[in-house]
Amino acid sequence: MPTIDQLQINNFRNFSEVSLTPGRGVNLIYGSNGSGKTSLLEALYVLSSGKSFRSALVGPLIKDGAPEATVYVSTTESAKLGLSKSRNKKAQLRLNGENQRNWDQVARAFPMLVIDSGAFDLLEGGPKIRRRFLDWGVFHVEPTFLDNWRRTVKCLAHRNSLLKLGFPKSDEIRAWDAELSVAAHAVDAARAAYLAKLLPLFERVYSALVGGHTDLSVQYKRGWPEENSLDEWLATNRELDIKYGSTQAGPHRSDLEVKIGSRKATESLSRGQEKLLVCALKVAQGELLSAAVGRRCLYLVDDLPAELDSQNRQRVMKHLLTLGSQLFVTSVEAEAIDLNAFHDAEITRFHVERGTI
Ligand SMILES: Nc1ncnc2c1ncn2[C@@H]1O[C@H](COP(=O)(O)OP(=O)(O)O)[C@@H](O)[C@H]1O
Ligand SMILES: [Mg+2]
């Protein structure tokens, strides 16, 4: 991750016009409820990925009454990235003076990880959230992943539209089965390989955070039975797919199973413990990214103190700092995180007050 040394936000959420110079270490953003802390992190995230982590709609991101929102960053390596989002027009994204048709290149160059109030969803929510977590990592370390993933999406769409007709032409659907199966096995292999590298890192961070060994396990479920190739499964379960009008197995059905002993982790852990687990997973992702492709990711940590006692806040901060990443951390009270304990860290504080910094 290049280090952001300049950030400008215009007409985004409750910010009219804000310009700030982040530091390379911890940027602590503090201020009362509703002042704009989450919005600041959200602006960075939208810039790097095109999406918000808390709204599926574009409208709410643009300041009420304004025609468009813009976010701009420059980095210490002289990269320049700008985005404008308007209510009715397509978003405009520019990297180093060049218009970007999509976020592929930007997302790769600006890897960002979020730890926010939705962190629990990774454990408590549906499989889609866990696939997104996994695929974020695979996308960044395995260059062929995106193409294979797009092929599975294309094949599934074609296949499902044939299934919905009820009496699919057998030859046509067989052709999609074959192509889907090839792409799906590549997606599955990349996910499994990524998780195999991630887990040892995760286990080390997690046991350091919770202070000892636990019988926690994370298992990858690929979305179709282990004993079949996807092609075989699709051929023998055609009737089922026709009944539902969509493909019932494949990489769009894979999941991560997080257990403590034989029980689901969510049945045993407190909210605070769940947050630590998610923090450990995300720290491990940052570590693996550095190790695999030599790139650091930027962390957006919204309301770090929420659910964590002071000792655990410090532990999480310590691990994040060890990564050498640029951090944007928010808190209502500046004192809720004792940053003085980290002597070597470069700390920059920003006080947000009703849309001004
Ligand atoms: N599109 C918008 N236009 C103007 N204000 C908005 C818009 N969307 C949200 N807000 C306001 O922005 C404020 C900041 O929200 P938020 O960033 O979530 O605050 P914090 O994280 O500091 O508690 C809230 O008061 C919210 O009502
Ligand atoms: Mg907030």
Side-chain angles (χ1 to χ4, degrees):
M1 170 79 200
T3 306
I4 294 173
D5 63 359
Q6 190 63 41
L7 167 63
Q8 278 170 32
I9 300 174
N10 290 84
N11 295 329
F12 188 96
R13 296 277 190 191
N14 64 332
F15 294 113
S16 295
E17 196 179 343
V18 163
S19 177
L20 52 110
T21 309
R24 34 174 86 241
V26 188
N27 293 280
L28 177 66
I29 295 134
Y30 65 99
S32 48
N33 293 325
S35 55
K37 302 179 298 298
T38 305
S39 302
L40 186 100
L41 305 190
E42 191 182 27
L44 282 170
Y45 190 80
V46 171
L47 176 63
S48 77
S49 70
K51 297 180 288 268
S52 163
F53 51 79
R54 65 170 168 174
S55 165
L57 301 171
V58 174
L61 306 178
I62 303 169
K63 188 171 165 61
D64 295 342
E68 64 173 16
T70 62
V71 189
Y72 167 87
V73 300
S74 68
T75 72
T76 48
E77 294 80 3
S78 306
K80 291 175 177 24
L81 177 61
L83 168 69
S84 69
K85 279 220 178 228
S86 17
R87 290 182 200 279
N88 309 314
K89 282 185 289 178
K90 218 173 153 261
Q92 275 211 319
L93 180 69
R94 280 171 79 79
L95 176 61
N96 298 328
E98 280 183 29
N99 283 329
Q100 304 290 305
R101 282 198 308 138
N102 54 41
W103 259 268
D104 297 1
Q105 212 185 327
V106 169
R108 224 177 267 290
F110 290 78
M112 290 192 195
L113 281 171
V114 179
I115 300 171
D116 71 340
S117 57
F120 312 103
D121 290 345
L122 189 56
L123 299 169
E124 293 176 3
K128 192 173 177 182
I129 298 166
R130 286 178 290 280
R131 282 197 296 274
R132 205 181 296 147
F133 159 83
L134 192 58
D135 289 349
W136 181 95
V138 191
F139 165 78
H140 281 289
V141 305
E142 177 47 64
T144 60
F145 178 73
L146 188 61
D147 275 352
N148 285 321
W149 173 244
R150 284 186 174 149
R151 274 173 71 199
T152 67
V153 172
K154 184 188 81 180
C155 293
L156 282 167
H158 282 287
R159 198 174 184 275
N160 289 347
S161 63
L162 289 173
L163 290 168
K164 281 195 179 65
L165 295 174
F167 301 99
K169 294 189 193 109
S170 230
D171 290 351
E172 224 176 310
I173 209 159
R174 279 304 296 160
W176 288 117
D177 287 3
E179 190 177 339
L180 173 61
S181 191
V182 172
H185 280 272
V187 163
D188 169 53
R191 283 174 172 167
Y194 176 79
L195 195 68
K197 289 192 202 120
L198 185 73
L199 285 182
L201 303 178
F202 159 70
E203 275 154 18
R204 196 171 39 70
V205 178
Y206 185 64
S207 60
L209 282 179
V210 301
H213 185 73
T214 66
D215 54 354
L216 183 96
S217 65
V218 182
Q219 238 196 355
Y220 168 62
K221 303 279 172 195
R222 69 175 181 175
W224 66 98
E226 287 301 325
E227 59 278 10
N228 294 125
S229 72
L230 184 58
D231 206 27
E232 283 164 2
W233 191 95
L234 295 172
T236 44
N237 290 275
R238 178 82 52 81
E239 290 306 313
L240 186 75
D241 283 352
I242 292 171
K243 184 175 147 207
Y244 285 101
S246 65
T247 310
Q248 297 301 300
H252 59 300
R253 287 295 178 93
S254 62
D255 198 359
L256 291 176
E257 202 175 66
V258 187
K259 283 180 158 180
I260 294 180
S262 58
R263 293 164 79 185
K264 281 174 93 172
T266 46
E267 289 168 13
S268 320
L269 297 179
S270 72
R271 273 294 176 107
Q273 288 171 317
E274 282 186 6
K275 185 160 173 176
L276 285 179
L277 201 165
V278 173
C279 286
L281 283 168
K282 302 238 167 160
V283 168
Q285 280 198 311
E287 250 186 84
L288 182 50
L289 186 75
S290 289
V293 293
R295 212 176 292 145
R296 289 200 192 107
C297 67
L298 184 150
Y299 282 84
L300 305 172
V301 188
D302 198 21
D303 202 359
L304 175 73
E307 316 278 351
L308 297 181
D309 59 40
S310 58
Q311 194 182 24
N312 280 324
R313 288 172 207 167
Q314 295 302 106
R315 284 181 175 162
V316 170
M317 277 306 300
K318 184 176 143 245
H319 277 91
L320 288 170
L321 280 165
T322 311
L323 297 171
S325 291
Q326 190 177 28
L327 312 176
F328 288 79
V329 181
T330 75
S331 172
V332 174
E333 311 282 351
E335 305 74 33
I337 309 163
D338 179 15
L339 292 171
N340 297 325
F342 307 107
H343 305 294
D344 302 337
E346 186 182 320
I347 293 151
T348 316
R349 290 179 174 80
F350 297 99
H351 186 200
V352 192
E353 267 178 304
R354 276 181 275 124
T356 59
I357 301 179

